[in-house]
Amino acid sequence: MSIHTYLHLLTVVFLLVLPLALSSSGTDAIGALLNRLDSKRLSPNLQESAAKGVLQRLLPSHIHSFQFKIVPKDVCGGKSCYLIQNSIQPSKNGPEIIVKGSTAVELASGLHWYIKYWCGAHISWDKTGGMQIGSVPKPGSLPRVKEEGVIIRRPVPWNYYQNVVTSSYSYVWWNWERWEKEIDWMALQGINMPLAFTGQEAIWQKVFMKFNISAEDLDDFFGGPAFLAWARMGNLHAWGGPLSQNWLDKQLNLQKQILSRMLELGMTPVLPAFSGNVPAALKKIYPAANITRLGDWNTVNKDPRWCCTYLLNPSDPLFLEIGEAFIRQQVKEYGDVTDIYNCDTFNENLPPTNDAAYISSLGTAVYKAMSKGDEDAVWLMQGWLFYSDSHFWKPLQMKALLHSVPFGKMIVLDLFADVKPIWRTSSQFYGTPYVWCMLHNFGGNIEMYGILDSISSGPVDARTSENSTMVGVGLCMEGIEHNPVVFELMSEMAFRSEKVHVLEWLKTYSRRRYGKASHHIEAAWKILYHTIYNCTDGIADHNTDFIVKFPDWDPSRNSEDRIHSFLPLPGTRRVLFQSASSNMPKAHIWYSPKKVINALQLFLEAGNDLHGSLTYRYDLVDLTRQVLSKLANQVYIDAITAFQRKHADALNLHSQIFIQLIRDIDVLLASDDNFLLGTWLESAKDLAVNPKETKQYEWNARTQVTMWYDTTTTNQSQLHDYANKFWSGLLEDYYLPRASTYFDHLVKSLKENVSLSIEEWRKEWIAFSNTWQASTKIYPTKESGDALAISRDLYTKYLA
């Protein structure tokens, strides 16, 4: 028997007989990790001051109404918690409420819980309506809690935040002012373990230069600002780049500000680790290194300018050197701020063999590189691969990877647990600690969507299940600033030990969000709960409404043409599945549109009472948009049906209605400044320091939300519209010309009795898109029009 065969059999036997009772050693290791992380926290005085800073920015008028006090976990039975108590001698000029907690995050969470449930306040992102704090009584009149106070314990240690691509879909153009607001929001929601990925390219530059990689080599390695996430993961290279030294330096400084504030608030930031993605030049400099060129990732024709990146095998000694150097460079720049590092070597990138011993050796090597840089390192890994590549990651392969590191030294993110929980089918990740996560959003699409029942019960079911290894809950969306109801409920699950009665919770939510009770609004939210926010079909929502994701197909060849299937197969994410089908394209619909129209009518009936509320305005615009976009899907199908039946008049009628819907929705979106293309573009340009950067950043911003990736003259990007947005300006100037041009070709086909040339339409459309992406037209950043009046008019026009 060869040594390789012997090791393989030994590994297989070990993995098969490894008892789940080993999870207890993992639990002990997690306890040791928590104690170690606690020892890294800043002093109580600094954390109390940071919590006071959150209060100052949130409620400056009440800066003296609250007193914050850090207390040991012993007060909470060994767990993280917060306590809300009445001040013994409350006064108008002194503290009325005392909030105690084990970290500054707990202090901020306690403050948030109090103003929510005793003062009827509401906190959401500015782009989803912002704050409703008008219901908070004046200083000296704050409501008292029960005499013995209120104590809220975390049922699990961590509340995780972010997806590795959120940095590109949502954060890419943020300055410190916007980041400060986000970190405040994190603290108020109880998030204590956020990703901190900003500025890592500057770290890579310093590391790779030590391995003789030049700045020119890195120009071909780093992606542009709006595509950094995928360059980091090895999906692409150079697309949208190069990165200027200005960008690198400014992002590194921004990262230091971000980390400083996170640490002041007692958070544990998660830093990146080396996954093996390397510049092409490394293969020339180290010809003996085991470097593999990866396959194509969504280019149209395998264009080597952007595709097919290079992966250094974790078993190669050079991997250990680079991995250690990267961790040490971060420690040099930031200090000893964490022991938790994210690495996703195998995310949408399969190992070359399914041999368990080989997979185990790869995992061991990845962790070894981390631990050489930080002896206490813990590997945080996205569990997406176990879903997206489930055909490869069978139990034996999963165990090989999960058990390749010491117990307690790996934490897995059950990334898609709100829809496809892996913990249920993997014996709790075979004893490995994991975080129950809500993925919820792909591409930062604007779409009302959610599964409130899953959110309100899933984390509790997982935590209380037999042999549970759950250690946290997490928000892992690809994009933020939408569906505030979903994110608020999910954030609360970090502090809830029991399941939430959603309908009752929604009553308090709507009262807090709009500042007053309304029976029309309560009735509307009851409908929304059972429709839009009850997606139980198992399909990951990715907005495929035809306005923003126009079908690229030839309806005259209905039975032959390969058309997009808009119901993605399980396991697909970034690539739309294509199949030969005689069916019409389908947009995702999981509820009764008629019922949601009734909810919109109820919202409109509440308008006279709530029209002054920014949160109401946001929800009204979003709901009206949702209803009309679904109506447009049916209008599109009617137009295509007319074409196939050669009914020219009907085609003309329905296509014109579709075009008019785009125009009308654009006007609707323009009435709320949270739905404007101009905001996105101007934030990109604001980061530039010279005209060259201004042009590059605007191109990046325009391209990400439209064509996304490379094209040819006759083929759209495979990822076109992946990050589609319902934004005013984008509808009128981008989606409308596309639909109009397409329908013009259909009308011409019928009128002249000639075959439709889908290729000619593609040529025309792609040329237009390229021109638009390079355009510098300025779009508004302030709303115009009366949202309530516009919504009422559109309801009457299309729905009454």
Side-chain angles (χ1 to χ4, degrees):
M1 179 185 295
S2 69
I3 185 64
H4 175 78
T5 303
Y6 172 76
L7 289 173
H8 170 78
L9 291 175
L10 187 64
T11 301
V12 170
V13 170
F14 172 75
L15 293 173
L16 289 175
V17 303
L18 188 69
L20 288 178
L22 275 178
S23 62
S24 62
S25 62
T27 301
D28 292 342
I30 291 297
L33 170 62
L34 289 169
N35 290 335
R36 195 162 60 247
L37 293 174
D38 285 344
S39 70
K40 293 176 182 286
R41 300 198 200 284
L42 301 183
S43 70
N45 286 341
L46 287 174
Q47 291 191 63
E48 290 164 5
S49 178
K52 196 169 184 178
V54 174
L55 172 61
Q56 174 72 52
R57 291 182 289 275
L58 177 67
L59 283 167
S61 58
H62 290 68
I63 191 64
H64 300 297
S65 300
F66 294 89
Q67 179 181 336
F68 296 120
K69 179 70 175 177
I70 294 289
V71 295
K73 286 183 180 178
D74 294 347
V75 176
C76 311
K79 294 186 175 182
S80 296
C81 76
Y82 54 80
L83 302 90
I84 307 170
Q85 299 172 328
N86 300 313
S87 177
I88 297 176
Q89 294 181 325
S91 67
K92 186 174 182 179
N93 298 319
E96 302 169 70
I97 298 295
I98 301 171
V99 182
K100 300 178 180 178
S102 43
T103 70
V105 170
E106 271 67 35
L107 296 179
S109 302
L111 169 67
H112 188 202
W113 198 271
Y114 173 79
I115 65 171
K116 280 170 67 170
Y117 289 111
W118 275 265
C119 303
H122 172 75
I123 308 295
S124 69
W125 291 296
D126 286 351
K127 285 184 70 65
T128 55
M131 301 184 297
Q132 186 293 109
I133 55 176
S135 59
V136 178
K138 294 180 179 180
S141 305
L142 291 180
R144 295 174 71 78
V145 300
K146 57 186 179 182
E147 188 173 334
E148 64 273 23
V150 176
I151 182 168
I152 306 287
R153 298 180 180 86
R154 290 186 187 270
V156 283
W158 286 301
N159 188 1
Y160 172 81
Y161 185 52
Q162 295 180 43
N163 185 298
V164 293
V165 302
T166 321
S167 57
S168 290
Y169 283 131
S170 294
Y171 306 156
V172 53
W173 311 121
W174 286 6
N175 55 21
W176 169 243
E177 181 183 5
R178 179 61 187 87
W179 263 111
E180 183 175 53
K181 289 183 178 181
E182 188 70 7
I183 298 172
D184 283 354
W185 181 88
M186 291 183 205
L188 293 165
Q189 305 298 332
I191 292 162
N192 59 3
M193 190 167 70
L195 280 187
F197 268 26
T198 302
Q200 63 178 279
E201 282 69 30
I203 303 293
W204 284 121
Q205 182 188 49
K206 295 179 181 184
V207 170
F208 280 132
M209 287 182 71
K210 296 176 183 177
F211 291 85
N212 298 316
I213 300 293
S214 69
E216 291 74 21
D217 294 330
L218 293 177
D219 285 346
D220 185 55
F221 180 62
F222 295 142
F227 302 96
L228 287 177
W230 301 277
R232 292 166 180 171
M233 291 188 287
N235 302 128
L236 53 81
H237 66 97
W239 180 252
L243 295 178
S244 69
Q245 194 62 46
N246 290 326
W247 174 272
L248 296 170
D249 294 342
K250 289 174 69 176
Q251 289 292 297
L252 182 60
N253 288 333
L254 180 59
Q255 168 76 336
K256 291 178 179 179
Q257 288 179 288
I258 292 168
L259 287 173
S260 178
R261 182 58 54 82
M262 288 178 174
L263 294 173
E264 289 171 4
L265 287 165
M267 298 177 183
T268 298
V270 178
L271 294 177
F274 180 50
S275 64
N277 183 31
V278 295
L282 197 74
K283 190 171 180 64
K284 296 179 181 179
I285 298 171
Y286 296 89
N290 186 354
I291 299 175
T292 304
R293 188 157 201 185
L294 301 177
D296 179 47
W297 188 85
N298 292 319
T299 58
V300 172
N301 60 357
K302 299 183 179 180
D303 193 327
R305 291 177 297 171
W306 330 120
C307 91
C308 312
T309 56
Y310 290 87
L311 185 71
L312 175 62
N313 193 298
S315 62
D316 192 287
L318 188 59
F319 187 102
L320 184 64
E321 290 183 50
I322 295 175
E324 178 184 359
F326 182 64
I327 297 293
R328 292 192 181 280
Q329 187 66 42
Q330 289 187 112
V331 172
K332 180 180 178 180
E333 293 285 346
Y334 312 139
D336 183 12
V337 299
T338 189
D339 288 332
I340 304 182
Y341 301 90
N342 170 260
C343 183
D344 295 303
T345 299
F346 311 114
N347 196 44
E348 298 188 2
N349 172 31
L350 295 178
T353 174
N354 65 0
D355 181 79
Y358 179 79
I359 292 171
S360 181
S361 68
L362 292 183
T364 299
V366 170
Y367 177 71
K368 186 176 181 181
M370 288 184 207
S371 59
K372 283 283 287 185
D374 180 348
E375 63 180 5
D376 296 319
V378 173
W379 180 1
L380 181 75
M381 183 185 75
Q382 291 189 129
W384 174 260
L385 71 171
F386 301 134
Y387 166 73
S388 63
D389 295 314
S390 57
H391 63 284
F392 178 92
W393 294 100
K394 302 300 183 184
L396 194 61
Q397 288 73 34
M398 286 183 66
K399 290 178 183 178
L401 180 57
L402 295 172
H403 294 164
S404 64
V405 302
F407 258 75
K409 293 295 187 178
M410 175 183 282
I411 300 172
V412 183
L413 301 175
D414 198 353
L415 206 72
F416 204 20
D418 53 324
V419 177
K420 301 289 183 182
I422 301 299
W423 70 268
R424 288 186 181 275
T425 57
S426 65
S427 299
Q428 307 276 349
F429 289 95
Y430 305 106
T432 303
Y434 74 94
V435 176
W436 193 103
C437 297
M438 178 192 78
L439 182 48
H440 182 263
N441 173 273
F442 291 88
N445 298 156
I446 295 174
E447 169 87 320
M448 293 181 76
Y449 162 83
I451 321 172
L452 296 183
D453 282 340
S454 173
I455 295 168
S456 66
S457 62
V460 178
D461 288 339
R463 180 177 54 81
T464 59
S465 63
E466 187 177 2
N467 296 318
S468 176
T469 57
M470 176 180 161
V471 294
V473 295
L475 300 167
C476 293
M477 62 288 119
E478 289 195 349
I480 64 167
E481 298 177 320
H482 51 78
N483 290 297
V485 64
V486 173
F487 288 92
E488 178 152 339
L489 179 58
M490 185 63 219
S491 295
E492 284 196 12
M493 298 312 294
F495 295 103
R496 290 191 176 270
S497 299
E498 298 179 353
K499 297 179 181 181
V500 176
H501 189 287
V502 177
L503 198 55
E504 290 301 315
W505 183 87
L506 283 171
K507 287 182 180 180
T508 64
Y509 171 83
S510 64
R511 292 171 190 167
R512 289 187 290 102
R513 180 156 172 79
Y514 311 124
K516 60 176 70 174
S518 165
H519 68 275
H520 289 111
I521 290 295
E522 288 184 8
W525 271 106
K526 184 176 182 180
I527 294 172
L528 296 178
Y529 165 47
H530 292 298
T531 53
I532 284 176
Y533 292 109
N534 186 36
C535 183
T536 58
D537 58 14
I539 296 172
D541 187 61
H542 190 291
N543 194 337
T544 52
D545 287 344
F546 297 146
I547 288 177
V548 293
K549 195 162 186 65
F550 202 76
D552 179 16
W553 72 305
D554 182 352
S556 64
R557 301 175 60 210
N558 193 22
S559 61
E560 303 173 24
D561 197 27
R562 293 173 67 80
I563 68 171
H564 287 307
S565 167
F566 285 87
L567 299 180
L569 289 180
T572 61
R573 175 166 64 149
R574 295 189 174 87
V575 186
L576 280 174
F577 174 68
Q578 297 197 336
S579 65
S581 172
S582 60
N583 296 324
M584 287 281 190
K586 297 178 178 68
H588 186 201
I589 184 75
W590 62 95
Y591 58 84
S592 164
K594 184 177 180 180
K595 291 180 179 178
V596 175
I597 291 172
N598 292 338
L600 174 57
Q601 184 179 9
L602 289 165
F603 253 82
L604 290 170
E605 289 173 358
N608 290 339
D609 195 32
L610 299 177
H611 70 278
S613 165
L614 295 179
T615 46
Y616 167 79
R617 185 182 73 184
Y618 173 87
D619 288 349
L620 175 65
V621 170
D622 202 21
L623 182 55
T624 307
R625 174 213 55 76
Q626 180 85 7
V627 169
L628 294 179
S629 67
K630 303 307 176 189
L631 173 63
N633 292 338
Q634 184 57 52
V635 173
Y636 170 85
I637 296 299
D638 292 342
I640 296 302
T641 301
F643 171 78
Q644 292 174 333
R645 294 175 179 174
K646 299 187 184 301
H647 293 170
D649 290 343
L651 168 61
N652 188 62
L653 172 65
H654 293 305
S655 63
Q656 290 306 308
I657 294 174
F658 189 86
I659 297 300
Q660 190 58 48
L661 273 165
I662 297 178
R663 288 197 176 100
D664 287 341
I665 296 174
D666 191 277
V667 171
L668 168 73
L669 298 173
S671 68
D672 188 295
D673 58 11
N674 300 305
F675 295 94
L676 303 179
L677 169 65
T679 306
W680 171 254
L681 298 182
E682 293 306 312
S683 64
K685 291 185 285 185
D686 285 346
L687 290 188
V689 297
N690 56 53
K692 182 180 179 180
E693 288 185 3
T694 300
K695 183 178 180 180
Q696 179 192 14
Y697 296 176
E698 182 168 6
W699 183 91
N700 268 255
R702 286 169 174 259
T703 299
Q704 191 210 79
V705 299
T706 54
M707 200 62 83
W708 209 104
Y709 202 16
D710 75 320
T711 64
T712 64
T713 57
T714 58
N715 283 297
Q716 297 191 73
S717 164
Q718 295 188 57
L719 295 175
H720 72 88
D721 300 317
Y722 183 88
N724 64 64
K725 302 289 190 295
F726 271 98
W727 283 340
S728 176
L730 195 57
L731 268 72
E732 180 76 25
D733 281 5
Y734 190 83
Y735 299 137
L736 189 151
R738 174 170 60 183
S740 181
T741 304
Y742 182 81
F743 285 131
D744 285 348
H745 279 264
L746 295 186
V747 169
K748 179 181 178 182
S749 173
L750 291 188
K751 184 177 181 180
E752 300 179 3
N753 195 26
V754 296
S755 298
L756 173 69
S757 176
I758 192 69
E759 187 168 291
E760 286 302 313
W761 171 71
R762 288 171 180 160
K763 282 183 180 179
E764 187 176 348
W765 166 245
I766 293 169
F768 176 92
S769 181
N770 288 336
T771 300
W772 187 89
Q773 289 163 239
S775 173
T776 57
K777 177 180 176 179
I778 296 175
Y779 290 88
T781 57
K782 296 295 181 183
E783 77 274 4
S784 62
D786 184 325
L788 178 58
I790 294 170
S791 294
R792 283 173 169 166
D793 287 346
L794 294 178
Y795 181 90
T796 301
K797 181 176 182 178
Y798 291 106
L799 306 169

